[in-house]
Amino acid sequence: PAGDRSFSFARKPGADTCLREQDVDYGLIDETRVFHFGTLSLTDEPARSATIAAVEYAKSHGKLLTYDPNWRAPLWHSDDAAREAILWGLGKADVVKLSDNEVEFLWGCDPAAGAKRVLDMGARLVFVTCGPEGCIFKNAIAEGSAKSLRGLHVVDTTGAGDIFGGSAVWKVLESGKAAAPETLTAEELTEIASFACAAAGLSTTRFGGISSVPERAEAEAAARENR
């Protein structure tokens, strides 16, 4: 009734687990500004080793590492294995987007305490999404929150977290401070988070994951009205 989604996975094995380290095209990483990763490719070999190698390569070559744990419990052999992999990723990332339920899974604490833990692990900017409650953000010099859009008729939440993350990273790049996200001010982060919340919120009013991504102008207008 609330438009929430659930997942079923078909892996015997799935193609997404079969990427080998020798299949990674490091030339693509050389050409990019941002390397994004999650934990879906860390659940099984050989994709796990391929992901670790690619992350280490990107980090050693000065790329901005963005990370969304994207925890999906059914894909893991155990909660301990999932927790270990998620924490490994948090120790590598510069910009982190995680959800309040992932904070609860990892540490059993509230989103603000979870954000501080992520920064203590080495991240330079963290967003914690809180569903209809919007999000909180924190870096070395600023912290705050952004509201979700109100009065929405939610039909499908699929992809909302990814749309938030992608929108936030795009705004970080647009800010001109991607090389030092720890220097973004509270005002700048509020604008970034508000835009990301608006984009994610609008997406829930439409069906689909990719097909529900709103146009930039629509998200910007919604963010301005919601500030």
Side-chain angles (χ1 to χ4, degrees):
D4 203 6
R5 77 286 181 270
S6 59
F7 295 100
S8 297
F9 299 95
R11 276 180 166 182
K12 295 185 178 180
D16 60 313
T17 67
C18 296
L19 182 74
R20 302 169 300 169
E21 184 176 345
Q22 58 264 41
D23 297 326
V24 176
D25 184 350
Y26 292 100
L28 291 176
I29 301 176
D30 290 335
E31 296 172 5
T32 194
R33 297 171 64 190
V34 178
F35 183 90
H36 181 75
F37 69 108
T39 63
L40 295 184
S41 59
L42 291 172
T43 59
D44 295 275
E45 292 290 358
R48 178 184 176 89
S49 293
T51 301
I52 291 171
V55 168
E56 297 290 3
Y57 182 89
K59 192 170 185 66
S60 67
H61 284 73
K63 306 303 178 179
L64 181 74
L65 268 67
T66 64
Y67 176 57
D68 177 358
N70 208 19
W71 172 51
R72 297 287 178 262
L75 292 179
W76 292 93
H77 302 293
S78 70
D79 284 350
D80 287 343
R83 193 173 287 108
E84 180 183 357
I86 293 172
L87 292 174
W88 174 84
L90 291 174
K92 300 295 180 180
D94 299 303
V95 178
V96 172
K97 175 266 166 191
L98 73 168
S99 64
D100 53 357
N101 69 303
E102 289 165 341
V103 169
E104 172 67 26
F105 170 68
L106 290 172
W107 301 297
C109 63
D110 62 67
K116 182 179 185 304
R117 284 176 180 261
V118 173
L119 291 185
D120 289 343
M121 295 182 69
R124 296 188 280 168
L125 172 61
V126 58
F127 300 93
V128 182
T129 56
C130 305
E133 301 306 314
C135 79
I136 67 168
F137 55 79
K138 186 175 179 62
N139 67 3
I141 64 170
E143 60 185 316
S145 62
K147 299 180 296 183
S148 63
L149 299 181
R150 300 301 181 186
L152 298 175
H153 175 55
V154 177
V155 298
D156 184 2
T157 60
T158 305
D162 294 322
I163 292 167
F164 177 97
S167 300
V169 171
W170 178 76
K171 290 292 282 185
V172 169
L173 290 171
E174 189 185 49
S175 75
K177 294 185 176 180
E182 68 275 14
T183 66
L184 286 161
T185 66
E187 182 178 1
E188 290 169 324
L189 287 171
T190 299
E191 179 183 349
I192 290 167
S194 296
F195 174 80
C197 280
L202 290 171
S203 77
T204 68
T205 66
R206 301 149 195 181
F207 290 102
I210 296 174
S211 59
S212 66
V213 178
E215 294 292 334
R216 169 184 171 181
E218 183 184 11
E220 288 177 335
R224 284 194 300 270
E225 293 174 5
N226 198 49
R227 289 284 293 274

